[in-house]
Amino acid sequence: MILRARNFDREARELGAATLQAMGESLPPTHPYLLSARSAQAINLVRSHRLEQAQVLSEAILEDSRRLRGPGHPYTLYCAVNASVDLIEVGEEDRGRALLDEAAAALEALFGPDHPEVDAARGQRRIECDIETVGLT
């Protein structure tokens, strides 16, 4: 996330790929940290203008998060926002908008209307969810 924020996109992609590979070799496939590493990879794909690949990955991450964390978990809702933004970006406006509206409403119910993640969802902006905070399960 910090590398992307500093516009070191190539370095972020390389580190993200290496991290994802190493985590995949040492963690079980259901581990939440793997979802976070995959989320970072999706963001790296978006920043590399590989939107179709990002959209496919974002939807897979969302499905896995629903299964592993539950549909109402904050990180699952962040994944839903990201998947919806990616759907809209690849031209699936109706499907993306419906998912985005649902995720934004759920986030607002959890956090209230003035929360930054609610604002991001309402503004159709991706949410950084590539760091799973301990205790946010």
Side-chain angles (χ1 to χ4, degrees):
M1 179 166 82
I2 293 170
L3 289 172
R4 283 191 305 273
R6 303 274 309 176
N7 293 316
F8 292 113
D9 291 335
R10 181 182 52 78
E11 293 86 348
R13 277 191 312 276
E14 291 170 0
L15 181 60
T19 300
L20 184 57
Q21 181 175 343
M23 291 175 87
E25 293 170 359
S26 61
L27 295 174
T30 58
H31 198 285
Y33 289 174
L34 263 178
L35 287 177
S36 296
R38 289 170 60 210
S39 293
Q41 185 71 358
I43 294 169
N44 289 333
L45 289 168
V46 168
R47 296 213 23 161
S48 299
H49 308 286
R50 294 161 53 189
L51 301 178
E52 291 81 14
Q53 289 175 307
Q55 181 266 316
V56 169
L57 181 56
S58 290
E59 282 198 276
I61 294 165
L62 173 58
E63 289 308 312
D64 289 344
S65 188
R66 283 177 174 155
R67 191 179 76 259
L68 298 172
R69 296 174 176 137
H73 188 282
Y75 269 49
T76 299
L77 297 173
Y78 301 164
C79 292
V81 169
N82 293 346
S84 66
V85 170
D86 291 345
L87 283 166
I88 292 166
E89 288 293 319
V90 299
E92 294 192 43
E93 179 78 28
D94 291 341
R95 213 170 122 219
R97 178 61 51 199
L99 180 59
L100 184 60
D101 290 345
E102 180 183 311
L107 285 168
E108 186 170 330
L110 276 176
F111 299 133
D114 298 324
H115 193 276
E117 309 305 12
V118 173
D119 184 55
R122 297 278 184 221
Q124 192 179 311
R125 294 186 309 275
R126 293 183 64 85
I127 296 174
E128 292 275 356
C129 57
D130 58 345
I131 299 173
E132 178 106 13
T133 306
V134 175
L136 189 58
T137 58

